Amino acid sequence: MFQRWTYTSIPLALTLLLGACSQQTPTTHPTLAQKQAVNLALGKPVTASTFENPQALPASSAVDGVLASRWASAFQQDNQWLRVDLGSVQDISEVQVFWEAAYATSYRVDLSDDGTNWRTGVRTVTKTSNTDGVADIVTLPAGTRARFVRIWGLTRALAPYGYSIRELQVFAPTSGLPSGPTVLISDNQKLYASTTQDRGTDTPFAADNNLTTRWASGIAPRAWLMMDLGAPARIDRVELNWETAWSSEYTLEVSNDRQNWTAVGGLQTNPQVVDGQTPKPTAAEYTDVVPLNLTQAYRYIRVNSTKRGWSAGDGSQYGVSLYEFKVYGAGGADNPPTLPEPQPTGSVWTLVWSDEFNSTATPSRVNTTQWNYEIGDGCAQGICGWGNGERQYYTDSLTNVFQQNGLLNIVLRKNDQGRAYTSGRITTAGKQEFLYGRIQARIKMNMPSTASGAKNGAVGVWGAFWMLGFDVNDPYQGWPNAGEIDIMENIGYSWWHSASLHGPGYYGGGSIGESFNKVDTSGGIVAGNFPNHSATDWHTYEVEWDNTKVLFKLDDQVYRTILRSEVEARGFWVFNRKNFILLNVAYDGAYPAAYRNNPLNFTGPKTADGLAALAENNMPHSMQVDYVRVYQKR
């Protein structure tokens, strides 16, 4: 369901590609080179509680400085640990854990001076998502000393597997600022952005030491570009090589946790120019040099632009654009390299997960070991109306979401529970997440049915079966860069539905997909070749997905094939990473409203406030689901 998430950033998936869940071994072996910070655990003796495969996935792989290798524990056991011996009691300030896809949703950092007497839970970490190849940075209390460091997994993210750690690193505290001459420390470091204009202007170009390439933001009035220096660094100065679309007002900000930011260097300004209306400055581009000489080391630095410097003569706006974002100082560390892209394994389709919604005549809740209830109207997440202007408030009430007689029911109601509209949305986020496979559901929409090709219907009743990238809630990844696969969306026309992909460069109304049984003509929508199709009958909706293509199917028949090459002609392919499943029924919102408000596409009666009468006056509406099944090649 497009435009559901407002967080935006660069496509991290292209540089932080996921490995399969404890089932794959990458074929290359990039190392974790360090610029200055010293990893005390590198190559030290290491032991573990259990092993998935002690020969292929030994404990030593977690301290070998190679991100492509890993340790993995035994399957289906929570309380498992990995322990490194630093050789002597030492001052330590930070632990970094690079989890593979089989990560811990909660774990402890335990310390010991002798390997026998442990200080347990010196730090306890809880998390709901993980990016393979990006470390959890765990800061230890000042004055911490230990010889042994142990990562103790408490709860697993993936029920069928154990825990898997690519690399465990331990660092000593820094004494003051990193020393050494002032040098360029930003070359080829990771960059994150609020928006990216298109795939030809993505963020790595702003740190490639090449003045012919650039990063460009979207056209929003505010934009930021953040750099990860890999480790705390002494930052002496920043040089910004702006393209014509410069910022006319920005601040430089620093942080060590990406959450608490400190403005440094004062407010920076450049001229504002309207192309064709005001004279161009002497130089059409700018290089800003901002001395900082900070007294504290910082790992993250960002350019936070609050005002654009250039608008086109026709009144349209550009964003901001940088050829180079250069940081000079001492310290920092090289960021982890790109992980090998995961490949499908096996040749036989095997059922790996399902929910058949087995239940009695008494309504009951869904299985919460498999599903989460989404609650609210999106305002708590900062996206009121779920980013679309939707009207419903999601609840976990048995009147909105329930199992009964072997079916899942999601019911949209009016004037219910003190709300104008209530409904339900359930997700498998953090509980069941999948990389590749056949994901299918048997679904029936219960709403007023209209004839094939009719331009009326309960338009606004928006049922969906879809998937999102596992880290969509990470503000440094976000939507659409996390990726979205819409397997079935019905917006109230009973005679057609749609399926689509959303990602960086192709999202919202510009998504890549297909509408089954609907044809767009100059006179508006008309029916395709399936006059007897109705979403109010039972149908099986399915996506078949691997690293080269996405197939959308209805009742086992492929009706749209999207090749990776088609996606990459428009933007980035981000469908080589885990996704979770969602089922919901929304009401109103951008997608159905675009059809309902177009007289070529909607001719049915409306209420006084413009809603479709068949939708508004025939509540409740519902979506029933017989099962959800996931097959993968094994």
Side-chain angles (χ1 to χ4, degrees):
M1 302 187 72
F2 67 76
Q3 293 179 332
R4 294 217 157 212
W5 307 88
T6 58
Y7 296 132
T8 50
S9 72
I10 69 162
L12 265 176
L14 296 176
T15 53
L16 308 176
L17 302 175
L18 293 176
C21 305
S22 197
Q23 293 277 328
Q24 296 174 219
T25 300
T27 56
T28 61
H29 302 281
T31 59
L32 292 170
Q34 297 293 329
K35 285 187 175 176
Q36 179 164 323
V38 177
N39 173 18
L40 302 175
L42 183 64
K44 296 297 174 60
V46 62
T47 55
S49 54
T50 61
F51 300 91
E52 175 190 334
N53 184 325
Q55 284 74 45
L57 303 170
S60 58
S61 290
V63 294
D64 61 359
V66 177
L67 196 60
S69 64
R70 60 190 175 94
W71 161 75
S73 72
F75 287 177
Q76 300 180 348
Q77 297 181 39
D78 277 328
N79 287 289
Q80 301 301 310
W81 51 262
L82 179 74
R83 184 185 76 177
V84 62
D85 179 359
L86 304 179
S88 62
V89 175
Q90 302 184 44
D91 294 320
I92 56 176
S93 63
E94 182 178 284
V95 172
Q96 295 192 13
V97 187
F98 292 81
W99 293 98
E100 191 252 0
Y103 69 96
T105 57
S106 64
Y107 63 92
R108 300 189 323 240
V109 177
D110 301 337
L111 303 174
S112 173
D113 294 339
D114 57 10
T116 301
N117 300 292
W118 288 90
R119 303 186 292 281
T120 60
V122 175
R123 283 286 185 264
T124 300
V125 178
T126 59
K127 52 192 293 184
T128 58
S129 65
N130 179 68
T131 299
D132 193 348
V134 174
D136 290 351
I137 300 173
V138 185
T139 302
L140 302 177
T144 297
R145 290 175 58 81
R147 172 175 173 173
F148 296 88
V149 178
R150 182 174 67 187
I151 304 300
W152 189 293
L154 298 170
T155 53
R156 292 164 295 124
L158 302 178
Y161 307 108
Y163 300 106
S164 184
I165 293 176
R166 292 196 180 277
E167 202 69 15
L168 169 61
Q169 298 185 337
V170 181
F171 295 95
T174 57
S175 54
L177 289 169
S179 60
T182 298
V183 297
L184 181 68
I185 57 175
S186 56
D187 54 313
N188 294 308
Q189 295 288 35
K190 283 198 175 70
L191 287 153
Y192 307 80
S194 54
T195 57
T196 298
Q197 178 182 307
D198 55 48
R199 71 167 305 172
T201 58
D202 50 298
T203 56
F205 291 135
D208 63 357
N209 211 22
N210 184 342
L211 290 176
T212 67
T213 60
R214 62 188 176 95
W215 161 75
S217 74
I219 61 173
R222 294 172 175 263
W224 52 259
L225 181 67
M226 184 194 77
M227 179 177 291
D228 179 359
L229 296 171
R234 190 189 80 221
I235 302 174
D236 297 338
R237 74 175 187 271
V238 171
E239 293 184 6
L240 301 174
N241 302 110
W242 295 101
E243 191 254 359
T244 304
W246 58 76
S247 171
S248 67
E249 187 174 282
Y250 65 91
T251 56
L252 296 173
E253 299 172 335
V254 291
S255 173
N256 276 317
D257 59 8
R258 301 193 311 180
Q259 298 178 26
N260 300 290
W261 291 91
T262 301
V264 294
L267 182 67
Q268 303 294 316
T269 59
N270 282 317
Q272 284 191 291
V273 174
V274 178
D275 189 16
Q277 300 179 33
T278 57
K280 292 183 180 180
T282 304
E285 299 157 7
Y286 283 93
T287 296
D288 294 339
V289 179
V290 185
L292 295 177
N293 298 311
L294 303 181
T295 59
Q296 179 181 339
Y298 291 97
R299 174 169 178 169
Y300 304 99
I301 182 167
R302 72 181 179 186
V303 181
N304 193 353
S305 174
T306 54
K307 189 179 293 184
R308 294 168 291 192
W310 197 284
S311 63
D314 61 4
S316 62
Q317 287 281 0
Y318 300 112
V320 295
S321 180
L322 274 168
Y323 286 119
E324 284 295 303
F325 179 10
K326 294 184 176 182
V327 181
Y328 292 85
D334 287 340
N335 277 279
T338 300
L339 290 174
E341 179 167 344
Q343 305 292 320
T345 58
S347 58
V348 179
W349 287 112
T350 304
L351 182 67
V352 296
W353 178 82
S354 70
D355 195 334
E356 306 293 324
F357 301 111
N358 294 326
S359 51
T360 66
T362 302
S364 61
R365 295 173 65 81
V366 298
N367 181 351
T368 53
T369 66
Q370 309 263 49
W371 300 95
N372 310 292
Y373 289 94
E374 197 88 64
I375 306 294
D377 55 8
C379 289
Q381 292 83 351
I383 47 173
C384 291
W386 297 104
N388 289 299
E390 298 168 23
R391 297 173 182 252
Q392 78 288 342
Y393 188 97
Y394 290 126
T395 84
D396 61 355
S397 167
L398 282 176
T399 63
N400 293 120
V401 185
F402 60 93
Q403 297 180 125
Q404 186 178 30
N405 295 322
L407 300 175
L408 168 70
N409 299 265
I410 301 179
V411 185
L412 169 64
R413 298 184 179 275
K414 182 178 177 180
N415 298 324
D416 180 55
Q417 302 173 63
R419 305 282 178 176
Y421 307 95
T422 62
S423 188
R425 178 158 102 175
I426 58 174
T427 87
T428 65
K431 295 180 177 178
Q432 302 293 336
E433 297 172 344
F434 305 98
L435 175 65
Y436 307 142
R438 288 170 48 197
I439 297 89
Q440 63 178 215
R442 187 167 181 260
I443 295 174
K444 176 184 178 184
M445 296 297 298
N446 295 305
M447 60 187 184
S449 181
T450 52
S452 182
K455 297 179 181 181
N456 53 8
V459 177
V461 180
W462 189 358
F465 167 42
W466 52 307
M467 304 182 77
L468 281 169
F470 73 99
D471 54 353
V472 70
N473 287 320
D474 182 343
Y476 292 93
Q477 175 72 336
W479 189 93
N481 299 303
E484 176 179 331
I485 304 173
D486 296 323
I487 306 169
M488 187 284 287
E489 294 186 273
N490 184 283
I491 60 171
Y493 296 94
S494 60
W495 53 275
W496 66 272
H497 71 274
S498 63
S500 60
L501 301 180
H502 302 258
Y506 50 97
Y507 56 88
S511 62
I512 302 173
E514 187 73 33
S515 296
F516 179 83
N517 204 36
K518 174 179 78 72
V519 179
D520 292 298
T521 73
S522 59
I525 57 175
V526 299
N529 298 320
F530 303 94
N532 296 321
H533 173 75
S534 178
T536 57
D537 298 328
W538 285 105
H539 293 285
T540 300
Y541 302 91
E542 179 178 321
V543 66
E544 184 176 318
W545 157 43
D546 62 24
N547 64 321
T548 64
K549 63 186 178 302
V550 171
L551 309 180
F552 289 116
K553 297 181 179 181
L554 176 69
D555 298 329
D556 295 324
Q557 298 299 309
V558 176
Y559 66 92
R560 178 66 158 98
T561 298
I562 301 176
L563 299 178
R564 179 169 179 162
S565 57
E566 179 181 354
V567 173
E568 291 184 332
R570 296 268 301 276
F572 292 99
W573 174 267
V574 294
F575 304 103
N576 38 21
R577 46 214 309 283
K578 293 181 298 177
N579 276 236
F580 61 87
I581 297 170
L582 303 94
L583 293 162
N584 70 288
V585 180
Y587 188 47
D588 201 22
Y591 188 16
Y595 281 82
R596 190 186 59 236
N597 295 332
N598 185 337
L600 295 177
N601 292 333
F602 184 82
T603 58
K606 297 182 182 179
T607 64
D609 60 352
L611 297 172
L614 281 176
E616 182 70 5
N617 298 333
N618 289 279
M619 297 278 182
H621 308 284
S622 69
M623 181 171 76
Q624 291 182 298
V625 184
D626 185 12
Y627 57 77
V628 179
R629 295 171 182 166
V630 178
Y631 298 84
Q632 291 181 328
K633 287 186 175 180
R634 297 288 172 86

